[in-house]
Amino acid sequence: MATYEPNRADDPLIRLRLFGPIEALRVGGGSVLPRGRRAQAILCYLALSPDGAVPRQRLVDLLWSGRWEEQGRASLRQSLLELRVALGERQEDYLSIERDRVVLDRRRLWIDGLTRHEGAAATAAAPETPPDVDQLLETLVGLDPTFDAWIAGMRSEVAAAHGVPHGPTRARRVAVDRKRLVDDKPAADARAAADGLLLSVAPLIKIGAGQLDDYVAPALTQELVTALARVRWIQVRFSPSPQGCDAQYRLEGYLSRTDAQCRVVLRLIDQADRGVIIWTGVIHAPYPLHYATLGEVVEQVVEQVVEQVDPEILNIETRKALRRPDVSTDSYECVLRAIPLIYRFDEDSCRQAGALLERAVGLDPQHGRAFAFSALRRVTALAQGWSRDPQTDLRELDREAAHGVACDPRDSLALALSAHIRAFLHHDFASALALFDRAVQANPSCGFAWGYSALTHAYTGQTEEAARRLARAQAIMIHDPYSSFLESFAGVIAYFSSDWAATIALCRRQLEMRPRFTNIRKLLIGALCFVGRSDEARDENQVLAQHEPEFTWARHLETYPFGRAEDRLALEAVLRRVQLLSDAPSSLRLVAANSL
């Protein structure tokens, strides 16, 4: 039975977010969240348990209830080691792993929504109200039936303690449906097959006896399967034979030796379209391939394959969806149709994308990418001044971003979009960067993660790192059908680098393609003001007013994600100089006064 008691923080070292996507942040920045879900579960259980010390056996019973005793204890040792490595420095100040128990000092933890304030500012009132009790530990549901029951009990106790509503939880649904899913395995398999695109990977063939070691082709094949599985919108299956394979796409190829190089030839086949070859790739690696260096070479080859195959399939699937006259009753197709509409950056397309994504999440409430792109569409509408109900959009996009990650905590795209929202709208740059790190770890070939993280680094003045990340995104997304919008990111980096000539050139080039892209026009106006081209700035400001009638520079100065106060104050000064801003908002006057 769960027992809940709000903790009181005394000089916390770790900040935990347990509602929606779980996060563990070191105070002062940096993620300390372990990668394994059971290690995360141990940290969360220790953080929420009022017991000063938790017996090891209790953790085994909670998280490995279906394992043999010795296997459960061995798995616990591994998860505790992973937890200790993730927490890193100063862990000894609050964590003690002993022979028969684990001790966590809850006074050194701050849990968002649950921790009571301490010190002079403390009051007798209850801790701040939790965001949504039904999202508590949402990403850990399904690890073990015993742990699911504990989560359900903890949610009920938290709801009762804080007087908030508490409806049917996913933990309860998992516990209730577990037997039905096992008994109805054919139906479960059918659902799994329908959850996303299926790609089969055939064993790579070695051509040329004796010229390549026998382990090279199998090793490269298995690495390809593993790396492609990181692309979360594609389901990957190792399939040695094409007969009876129901995958839409098939990747096959061979290895051979040419002089001093190893040649990898691959082809992607659309099995749903008469077996047509839709992509071919040739990658070269040095020869001979030694076991000691095989891992590095395989990683380079696999990275190039993923970077080309992922966007190629997305491009083909989008074209197929758009060729069909009507939208099918399929969440996946709705998302495919919505993505190009979002990146057109015009109001009508944005609203069409919203309707498609609303339909997508209605058709499949567990389609994480539908929620992630819906949140991104709302951010675009807010930034462009197209939102008809900003308060509702703000509330909904936070919920959608969190739910998108909760549906699949290792979906790099959902993590990246959620991080971008944290930075752009909430100006929470530290937690945004922690989420971006998780996104890149989940899939190093996710161009969106590298690209959007470049923006966050630019906002905070780290323009060299921003440029490096953008270059990485552009290299990854060179084959991506939506890569052209990355040039607008270059304009943001140039702006925060105070490279006004580059900013003007980049923004004008983007506005030729997307004339209604108002956020880029705002950067252009700012850069023109900085170089003293006042008449051009006023002309552009008139165009901006036509596209976004309710826009004001005072509001922009308050809401744009300036990570450094000096950037905000510098823009305010030049806007005053060219008479585009008559008075600064009170918050800016306060910042200016505090900077003297």
Side-chain angles (χ1 to χ4, degrees):
M1 177 66 180
T3 303
Y4 168 66
E5 179 183 322
N7 72 310
R8 295 179 177 272
D10 179 16
D11 189 23
L13 295 174
I14 300 296
R15 177 182 181 182
L16 292 177
R17 291 187 174 126
L18 306 183
F19 296 90
I22 292 173
E23 293 182 61
L25 303 170
R26 185 179 291 110
V27 172
S31 174
V32 293
L33 185 72
R35 296 189 65 176
R37 292 176 70 210
R38 282 184 166 80
Q40 294 175 17
I42 292 170
L43 175 61
C44 295
Y45 182 83
L46 295 172
L48 292 172
S49 174
D51 299 333
V54 174
R56 280 180 176 246
Q57 188 59 47
R58 187 191 302 173
L59 296 173
V60 172
D61 294 341
L62 275 170
L63 291 164
W64 291 276
S65 63
R67 304 277 186 88
W68 292 102
E69 194 70 23
E70 286 298 326
Q71 186 181 11
R73 284 199 291 266
S75 298
L76 174 63
R77 285 195 297 272
Q78 183 62 36
S79 293
L80 288 173
L81 175 61
E82 183 182 349
L83 176 61
R84 172 173 278 168
V85 170
L87 292 176
E89 59 186 23
R90 295 198 64 182
Q91 58 166 284
E92 65 278 359
D93 292 347
Y94 53 90
L95 177 69
S96 175
I97 300 177
E98 302 173 12
R99 181 175 181 178
D100 59 349
R101 64 179 191 167
V102 183
V103 182
L104 184 71
D105 186 352
R106 298 173 73 213
R107 296 172 302 173
R108 311 311 297 273
L109 302 180
W110 180 272
I111 306 174
D112 283 11
L114 297 180
T115 297
R116 292 182 184 272
H117 296 271
E118 281 290 349
T123 67
E128 55 191 277
T129 302
D132 183 349
V133 171
D134 289 335
Q135 292 183 1
L136 179 63
L137 305 179
E138 187 172 24
T139 59
L140 297 180
V141 172
L143 280 176
D144 188 282
T146 307
F147 195 68
D148 289 345
W150 175 81
I151 291 176
M154 182 58 64
R155 289 175 176 176
S156 297
E157 294 197 18
V158 170
H162 295 278
V164 295
H166 173 50
T169 66
R170 184 178 168 220
R172 288 199 184 114
R173 291 197 303 272
V174 169
V176 170
D177 291 345
R178 187 179 297 272
K179 185 176 184 300
R180 178 178 60 79
L181 290 176
V182 171
D183 293 342
D184 189 19
K185 190 174 186 301
D189 289 343
R191 275 193 302 275
D195 279 344
L197 200 69
L198 188 58
L199 168 68
S200 71
V201 179
L204 296 179
I205 301 169
K206 185 186 77 167
I207 295 180
Q211 292 188 340
L212 288 168
D213 291 330
D214 290 338
Y215 58 75
V216 175
L220 184 53
T221 302
Q222 294 302 322
E223 288 293 330
L224 274 174
V225 172
T226 302
L228 286 165
R230 299 191 193 111
V231 183
R232 304 298 278 188
W233 70 283
I234 300 175
Q235 294 190 46
V236 181
R237 175 191 297 170
F238 175 69
S239 179
S241 172
Q243 281 74 29
C245 180
D246 57 350
Q248 292 96 322
Y249 295 91
R250 177 177 174 83
L251 185 67
E252 60 184 28
Y254 66 86
L255 287 81
S256 65
R257 178 190 165 191
T258 57
D259 297 328
Q261 287 188 323
C262 173
R263 177 182 169 92
V264 183
V265 179
L266 296 165
R267 59 185 184 182
L268 184 65
I269 298 170
D270 186 347
Q271 299 194 140
D273 186 14
R274 308 180 309 279
V276 174
I277 298 174
I278 54 175
W279 171 85
T280 60
V282 179
I283 298 169
H284 294 92
Y287 181 86
L289 288 173
H290 297 294
Y291 188 81
T293 59
L294 178 63
E296 182 179 345
V297 173
V298 166
E299 184 177 337
Q300 293 172 359
V301 172
V302 167
E303 191 174 275
Q304 293 180 59
V305 173
V306 175
E307 289 169 8
Q308 296 180 50
V309 169
D310 176 21
E312 187 64 34
I313 293 179
L314 177 60
N315 195 13
I316 293 165
E317 286 290 294
T318 302
R319 288 202 305 267
K320 286 181 180 179
L322 294 176
R323 280 202 302 264
R324 288 188 278 270
D326 300 312
V327 182
S328 71
T329 56
D330 181 76
S331 177
Y332 168 69
E333 181 171 317
C334 289
V335 173
L336 286 177
R337 287 173 173 261
I339 294 172
L341 293 171
I342 293 173
Y343 289 108
R344 286 182 188 172
F345 291 98
D346 69 69
E347 187 171 0
D348 290 341
S349 297
C350 189
R351 297 202 190 286
Q352 292 174 41
L356 285 166
L357 292 166
E358 184 177 351
R359 183 174 181 180
V361 300
L363 289 167
D364 185 356
Q366 295 303 315
H367 189 174
R369 290 221 161 171
F371 282 93
F373 274 110
S374 183
L376 178 65
R377 187 210 66 85
R378 292 183 193 274
V379 172
T380 303
L382 286 165
Q384 297 288 119
W386 299 332
S387 174
R388 294 173 180 172
D389 188 350
Q391 291 304 316
T392 297
D393 277 336
L394 274 170
R395 184 172 61 253
E396 283 298 300
L397 71 86
D398 278 331
R399 182 189 67 82
E400 289 175 341
H403 189 75
V405 175
C407 288
D408 185 351
R410 302 189 69 78
D411 184 342
S412 55
L413 179 57
L415 287 165
L417 296 179
S418 184
H420 178 58
I421 289 167
R422 292 270 181 94
F424 187 79
L425 282 183
H426 301 301
H427 306 174
D428 187 354
F429 304 110
S431 63
L433 291 174
L435 274 177
F436 280 126
D437 286 344
R438 284 176 57 189
V440 170
Q441 288 172 9
N443 181 9
S445 298
C446 179
F448 284 92
W450 290 102
Y452 280 114
S453 67
L455 287 181
T456 298
H457 281 281
Y459 298 148
T460 56
Q462 303 172 61
T463 52
E464 289 187 5
E465 176 63 14
R468 185 188 73 82
R469 286 174 175 261
L470 180 60
R472 176 73 180 126
Q474 290 171 324
I476 291 173
M477 299 181 71
I478 190 170
H479 303 282
D480 197 290
Y482 308 113
S483 61
S484 63
F485 80 98
L486 288 176
E487 190 170 305
S488 66
F489 292 10
V492 176
I493 296 171
Y495 179 90
F496 284 99
S497 301
S498 301
D499 188 344
W500 310 125
T503 304
I504 292 168
L506 288 165
C507 289
R508 288 203 185 282
R509 193 152 57 238
Q510 276 294 303
L511 289 170
E512 287 178 5
M513 294 186 289
R514 303 176 177 94
R516 294 180 179 272
F517 198 170
T518 58
N519 255 18
I520 284 293
R521 199 175 297 277
K522 293 164 194 174
L523 292 176
L524 172 61
I525 293 169
L528 290 170
C529 290
F530 275 111
V531 296
R533 291 157 64 172
S534 306
D535 291 340
E536 290 180 67
R538 294 190 193 98
D539 290 343
E540 291 293 344
N541 197 62
Q542 289 180 0
V543 178
L544 175 62
Q546 294 172 6
H547 293 316
E548 196 175 331
E550 297 183 4
F551 172 78
T552 67
W553 282 106
R555 178 69 177 154
H556 177 77
L557 290 167
E558 288 182 339
T559 58
Y560 194 79
F562 292 102
R564 299 181 300 183
E566 57 264 34
D567 291 327
R568 193 188 308 266
L569 292 169
L571 179 58
E572 178 207 351
V574 295
L575 289 170
R576 283 170 173 263
R577 191 165 63 228
V578 300
Q579 299 179 342
L580 292 180
L581 180 69
S582 57
D583 191 18
S586 58
S587 61
L588 283 181
R589 289 198 294 271
L590 178 62
V591 171
N594 290 340
S595 65
L596 295 177

